[in-house]
Amino acid sequence: MNPWQEVLDRIEARDDEDLAAFLDGLNDLGRKAVAGQLPAHLAEELRGGFEARWEVEALASGYRLAGAACLPGAEQVATWLNRRELREPRAPEQDAAHIVSLLRHRPLEWRRDLAARLAGRLRPPTGRASRRSDGMPGWELAAALVSETGAVPPDGDAFVAGWVWRQVWRRRVRGNRLDGDPLLDALLPRLFEAQGVAAPLALELRWDLGRSTIGELAELAATGRVPLATLLGGCVRRFMGGGPDEEITPFVRLWRLLRPAPADIPVLDFVRLMPSAAPPLAQLAVDELQRAEAADLLDDELFAEVMGSLVYRPEKGLLRAAVQWLARTPASRSGGAVPALAAVFDADTPALRERAVRLAVKLAPYADSAGRESIREAATRLPSALRERVAAAYGPIDEMEPERPVAAVLRVPPLPGLAPPFTSPAELVTELRALGWIDEPLRCERVLAGLVELTHGDRDAMTAALWQWWEETRSLPGDPDRQVFDRNAYDRDTRTLLARCALAIVAPEQSRRVSASLAETRTYHGSEDWPPQRLLRHRLEEVIALFERGETIPALLATPTAPTGQVDAATLVERMERLASTEPLPTDFKQALLRLPRSTDPGLLVRAEKLPSQAGRTLAAWLRDGGQPDPDVDWTVQNGQAYYLSDRRLLPKVVPPEGLPDWLEELWVLDSPYLYLSYRNDVLWWPVMMPSHSEIVAAWLIRSGPGLSSSNDPRMKTLAALVHGDGPVGAATASVLVSGLGHRRDEQRAAAADAALTLAARGRFPAAAFGAALVKLIRLEFVVLKRIAAALGHLTDAGAHAEVWQMLTVALPHLMPPDGERPRTGLGELLSVAARAATLADARGEIDGLAEMTARKGSSLVLHEARHLYEVLSR
């Protein structure tokens, strides 16, 4: 019998029961034989790449049993069980039971040593793994060994966190209860100190299954199974240690369930943590201190300290709670907290500010000299009507001369410059190797241009430089036509196509076989390319075919000369002059035309008219006419079953001008049978491909899929690039811009804000179209008004106040609520932005519906800001 082969056969058969029985019957010589083969075998298996690693991970349980049973030292076993590919067996509890059984022949101290080593290697899950519900890898075995050997339970953070994860998982899957857990008494004190325990506790509370670890602890305290003092003391220690919301919330929940008697409330601790506590904890402190006050356990000095802390909290809810608390407290006691009210005078909520003024007037007889001085100083910043009310109670107050706001200066952010052309084949090959999976269009254009130009200069030198790359990239011998870039017919990304260009230089015959195979497959399966990507693919395939024929050309016509992707007209004429009467590559020529700037030197037309080729005559006509007329672009909302993946989505409408060439009409009409892009990063190419047609690019961004204001895709990054180009900007650009400014993700909103500022700095901000798009998208509930208001506030402060004001003059009349209708959430914030923008723009005039809004009764934020805006426009 060969012990190693027997073990390996059982591992690969995935029969853990049979494997465990066989390993248990091995003698020392057999275990030594297995231990001698096991590590080397696993290392050899893992050399097979990621697929081999997946296979090893699928067999992890068997490899773990073999290592635990046969490796000699506790350190060796611990290291083996914690290998990345073996760390997570299929069934952790069954795996732990098998290993504990196999280790019973080992000495007790050896097993305790292993338990300590395994516990010491535990790591709490982080990131997405911290949301897992099936426990911490490795914890089950460490806990089983602790229980088996009678060792003292480890008190490390990871072991405690693993215990909590296991409780959460067992309760959800099996309904287990905490009361019978043998580790409860030993680990409970550490529950309030260990890092990593909050994640499973919070996850369990979010599930809201009607039972939780927190809930059971409260029940056990009520029955006396767990000392109430232990839980309360633990919560206080956790509170005083601080931390973000997610770390504190489970213990806040536990405290509320325990609801200690007023005498057990740590009043001084709650007062001291009020300034910096996480919001849930601060709210708990307010609630508990109010209970303590009702029991005469909060003296006047501590009450004043609490008020002084609360009014400087950033949360409006806590600020409101402070004012309400003061209002219902006897005036004789509240007088000492009058200085806290002074801070509320600066609140940005009008109703809260007015209530603070009323309360300050009421408490004036009880305020000491320091409190009165604080109120008088803060009142200088109040509106005149409120200031007069304070002055009547506290004496004359000087009016502060408001500072004239200073507008920021807009500047166009410069784009990074183009990298210089390659000077040698070796330099190009280095860049070819470095290309990533996500296309960088200008980087890819540089590589493509380098392949064409350096091959034309010296094909042999280029072939020699590419040879080693090709040897490393090609498939295994015996499979010559299956290159890494030909794994399937849909590998048509730019990186793949550039690799095929290089292959056509090094091995033209093999490249022709690959091209024929792809063409045949594409004919059978069809293509999912959208028109812009089809143009890009055809352009690169032209270069591939050129190299496959053994031909070269001096340069590509469409290689960008500017970071926007544009091609300087003089450079294009010069490149065509180098071709003389030779016709250029057709798609490359079309791409070059699309990249021409809107305005060119009239003198170039004379040179262009002398070009002898048919393409030269087309270029001359293009320059003479100033390019092709722009299409009409708008958008609408699509409903219905045709777009079943989304109930509603925006769809662009493009009406091309008469007489447009077929290839350009295909590119501009946005006709694709597919709902979504197959490769979402394709959009990164569009601004570089059509740098003088920004509105068409924006229309394609709308067409490329729903979720403009929610999807985590590169469309807002593309928007930030297209605004550096030329051409009309209108309804399509405005709708993408509004969607971006109202995006739910911070990064996307920032990109859209950069785009808006660039348009404003270039004098191209589509204010009227933006205002119309804002109204439509708000009514459709595609964007949230409150987010839009915050973004427009940022634009106003950054120097785009004039553009924001122009846009709001279009939008505001349509957003004002009719009489008797509630205003939209966020309208108050939008009116506040409008007042700031109007002030900076020195605007005058009227907004339809604004006067009627100011005449309404009430003190809401919307009415306050409407009145403020009305005053600004009427001054």
Side-chain angles (χ1 to χ4, degrees):
M1 179 186 71
N2 183 338
W4 163 241
Q5 191 58 52
E6 294 284 344
V7 167
L8 184 58
D9 289 345
R10 287 168 171 80
I11 291 175
E12 293 176 346
R14 306 189 187 191
D15 188 344
D16 292 346
E17 296 289 344
D18 187 32
L19 175 61
F22 180 80
L23 289 169
D24 199 37
L26 280 178
N27 57 25
D28 290 344
L29 190 60
R31 291 193 184 96
K32 186 174 181 180
V34 173
Q37 296 284 341
L38 189 59
H41 165 78
L42 188 60
E44 182 63 29
E45 288 294 301
L46 293 174
R47 290 194 183 99
F50 64 89
E51 292 181 351
R53 181 176 294 275
W54 292 344
E55 180 65 22
V56 167
E57 290 173 353
L59 301 174
S61 295
Y63 283 117
R64 287 169 60 84
L65 293 179
C70 299
L71 294 173
E75 176 62 23
Q76 288 175 283
V77 173
T79 300
W80 178 261
L81 295 174
N82 274 281
R83 291 183 64 121
R84 183 181 299 275
E85 60 276 0
L86 304 182
R87 195 177 297 163
E88 300 189 44
R90 291 188 300 273
E93 291 187 68
Q94 181 180 338
D95 170 82
H98 282 149
I99 291 177
V100 167
S101 177
L102 287 172
L103 294 178
R104 286 196 176 110
H105 70 279
R106 308 266 195 173
L108 178 63
E109 288 305 316
W110 188 98
R111 287 180 285 154
R112 286 180 174 174
D113 181 32
L114 176 61
R117 292 178 186 274
L118 291 175
R121 292 169 188 248
L122 294 174
R123 294 293 180 269
T126 58
R128 290 189 176 185
S130 66
R131 298 192 290 271
R132 64 190 298 158
S133 61
D134 56 348
M136 181 185 299
W139 185 88
E140 204 67 58
L141 176 58
L145 283 170
V146 167
S147 176
E148 172 79 10
T149 61
V152 176
D155 62 356
D157 288 359
F159 189 83
V160 178
W163 174 65
V164 177
W165 275 113
R166 184 54 62 190
Q167 293 303 320
V168 169
W169 181 82
R170 285 176 173 169
R171 183 175 296 102
R172 184 186 189 191
V173 176
R174 304 176 187 170
N176 286 23
R177 297 189 61 82
L178 190 60
D179 188 20
D181 191 285
L183 295 174
L184 174 62
D185 294 327
L187 297 185
L188 182 60
R190 287 284 295 141
L191 177 71
F192 302 95
E193 300 164 358
Q195 295 298 312
V197 300
L201 293 175
L203 181 66
E204 193 176 33
L205 291 175
R206 286 198 297 273
W207 286 338
D208 193 22
L209 299 177
R211 58 187 186 278
S212 66
T213 302
I214 293 298
E216 282 197 36
L217 285 173
E219 292 173 8
L220 294 177
T223 62
R225 168 66 178 82
V226 170
L228 177 63
T230 298
L231 299 183
L232 294 177
C235 285
V236 172
R237 293 196 306 275
R238 191 72 179 205
F239 295 158
M240 299 306 291
D245 292 15
E246 59 270 18
E247 292 288 332
I248 295 295
T249 298
F251 301 99
V252 169
R253 173 67 174 159
L254 175 59
W255 185 278
R256 291 191 183 279
L257 291 175
L258 294 173
R259 192 170 175 78
D264 293 328
I265 296 174
V267 172
L268 186 60
D269 288 334
F270 277 148
V271 171
R272 294 291 186 261
L273 60 79
M274 186 67 75
S276 59
L281 178 55
Q283 185 60 59
L284 173 69
V286 169
D287 297 342
E288 293 300 273
L289 289 173
Q290 289 177 351
R291 287 208 300 133
E293 182 187 43
D296 293 327
L297 297 174
L298 184 68
D299 61 38
D300 291 353
E301 183 178 349
L302 288 178
F303 173 77
E305 184 176 344
V306 170
M307 289 297 113
S309 299
L310 271 178
V311 296
Y312 287 102
R313 295 280 312 193
E315 302 85 10
K316 289 183 180 180
L318 291 175
L319 187 59
R320 191 176 299 110
V323 175
Q324 292 171 350
W325 192 353
L326 267 174
R328 63 175 177 263
T329 300
S332 57
R333 177 179 171 88
S334 298
V338 163
L341 280 174
V344 188
F345 286 4
D346 293 319
D348 59 3
T349 306
L352 192 59
R353 194 164 57 227
E354 291 178 14
R355 185 168 187 180
V357 167
R358 291 198 304 270
L359 191 54
V361 171
K362 172 186 173 182
L363 296 177
Y366 303 94
D368 57 19
S369 58
R372 296 179 69 85
E373 185 59 32
S374 297
I375 291 292
R376 286 166 51 82
E377 190 279 328
T380 62
R381 299 184 292 277
L382 287 172
S384 57
L386 295 179
R387 187 171 60 250
E388 291 170 1
R389 292 168 60 183
V390 175
Y394 287 83
I397 297 171
D398 296 332
E399 181 178 355
M400 180 178 290
E401 185 69 25
E403 293 185 11
R404 174 78 179 171
V406 179
V409 178
L410 281 172
R411 292 183 176 84
V412 179
L415 292 173
L418 292 177
F422 294 108
T423 57
S424 69
E427 184 185 358
L428 185 149
V429 172
T430 299
E431 183 72 352
L432 182 63
R433 292 177 187 273
L435 290 178
W437 288 106
I438 297 178
D439 285 353
E440 298 175 61
L442 293 177
R443 192 177 180 188
C444 292
E445 287 281 1
R446 180 174 178 241
V447 171
L448 180 63
L451 287 169
V452 169
E453 294 170 15
L454 293 175
T455 302
H456 181 74
D458 189 343
R459 182 161 187 156
D460 290 340
M462 192 73 250
T463 301
L466 287 168
W467 188 265
Q468 185 177 357
W469 163 86
W470 181 60
E471 287 293 327
E472 294 172 0
T473 305
R474 65 188 300 186
S475 302
L476 296 173
D479 190 17
D481 291 330
R482 301 295 289 172
Q483 303 300 317
V484 294
F485 39 78
D486 185 28
R487 285 187 175 142
N488 64 66
Y490 303 102
D491 280 349
R492 77 333 164 242
D493 60 280
T494 313
R495 180 175 178 271
T496 295
L497 289 166
L498 287 172
R500 288 188 56 211
C501 289
L503 172 68
I505 297 170
V506 177
E509 182 179 350
Q510 185 167 349
S511 179
R512 285 192 290 272
R513 290 200 300 269
V514 171
S515 295
S517 171
L518 286 172
E520 180 182 349
T521 308
R522 193 176 295 123
T523 300
Y524 179 76
H525 289 287
S527 171
E528 294 183 5
D529 286 340
W530 285 25
Q533 251 47 43
R534 199 151 52 235
L535 181 75
L536 175 62
R537 176 168 57 81
H538 287 169
R539 181 169 168 243
L540 273 83
E541 287 177 343
E542 284 180 344
V543 175
I544 294 168
L546 177 79
F547 290 151
E548 288 176 350
R549 295 193 302 268
E551 300 173 9
T552 64
I553 53 175
L556 292 173
L557 301 181
T559 300
T561 60
T564 58
Q566 290 180 325
V567 175
D568 176 64
T571 302
L572 176 57
V573 171
E574 179 184 338
R575 289 170 178 171
M576 292 194 66
E577 287 172 342
R578 293 172 64 187
L579 292 176
S581 59
T582 304
E583 293 294 337
L585 300 176
T587 310
D588 185 50
F589 177 60
K590 295 172 185 175
Q591 176 64 89
L593 293 178
L594 280 174
R595 284 176 169 165
L596 282 172
R598 287 266 164 167
S599 58
T600 58
D601 181 1
L604 285 175
L605 180 57
V606 177
R607 289 173 58 188
E609 288 175 337
K610 295 178 181 179
L611 294 170
S613 62
Q614 178 60 45
R617 290 188 286 277
T618 302
L619 174 61
W622 187 284
L623 295 176
R624 186 183 308 111
D625 299 337
Q628 295 289 338
D630 291 302
D632 294 328
V633 181
D634 204 346
W635 59 271
T636 186
V637 179
Q638 174 71 51
N639 296 288
Q641 296 303 315
Y643 294 91
Y644 58 90
L645 293 178
S646 176
D647 292 335
R648 297 180 304 166
R649 59 171 292 180
L650 304 184
L651 280 182
K653 298 189 300 183
V654 177
V655 180
E658 295 290 336
L660 205 63
D662 291 344
W663 68 271
L664 199 53
E665 183 168 344
E666 178 187 11
L667 193 63
W668 283 359
V669 174
L670 316 182
D671 184 20
S672 174
Y674 300 102
L675 179 62
Y676 294 101
L677 277 174
S678 297
Y679 302 87
R680 66 179 190 172
N681 290 309
D682 284 353
V683 300
L684 298 173
W685 274 95
W686 298 348
V688 176
M689 294 179 68
M690 295 178 279
S692 298
H693 305 279
S694 299
E695 187 73 349
I696 292 294
V697 176
W700 271 114
L701 291 179
I702 298 173
R703 177 65 182 84
S704 62
L708 263 177
S709 59
S710 58
S711 298
N712 185 23
D713 57 36
R715 282 184 286 182
M716 293 305 135
K717 181 179 179 181
T718 304
L719 172 67
L722 79 84
V723 296
H724 288 273
D726 291 328
V729 287
T733 304
S735 65
V736 178
L737 199 56
V738 171
S739 299
L741 292 175
H743 206 284
R744 65 187 180 91
R745 296 176 181 270
D746 294 343
E747 182 181 356
Q748 312 283 11
R749 284 200 304 275
D754 289 345
L757 291 173
T758 300
L759 286 172
R762 298 184 66 200
R764 289 165 49 80
F765 189 86
F770 188 109
L774 174 61
V775 172
K776 290 168 70 174
L777 292 174
I778 287 292
R779 287 177 174 174
L780 291 166
E781 298 183 349
F782 278 22
V783 293
V784 177
L785 183 55
K786 201 163 188 176
R787 286 191 198 131
I788 291 287
L792 292 178
H794 167 73
L795 297 184
T796 299
D797 296 338
H801 49 276
E803 290 76 12
V804 169
W805 174 245
Q806 292 168 14
M807 179 274 299
L808 288 177
T809 60
V810 176
L812 281 176
H814 303 283
L815 295 175
M816 295 291 186
D819 194 21
E821 184 177 304
R822 290 179 60 85
R824 295 178 184 274
T825 301
L827 181 58
E829 288 84 351
L830 188 67
L831 289 168
S832 175
V833 172
R836 288 211 315 274
T839 301
L840 290 168
D842 200 23
R844 302 287 189 278
E846 296 182 0
I847 297 291
D848 289 346
L850 183 61
E852 292 80 359
M853 175 72 73
T854 60
R856 298 183 186 182
K857 294 182 179 180
S859 59
S860 67
L861 176 64
V862 170
L863 292 178
H864 172 83
E865 296 299 347
R867 292 163 187 153
H868 182 205
L869 175 59
Y870 186 80
E871 291 175 2
V872 169
L873 296 177
S874 304
R875 68 187 186 278

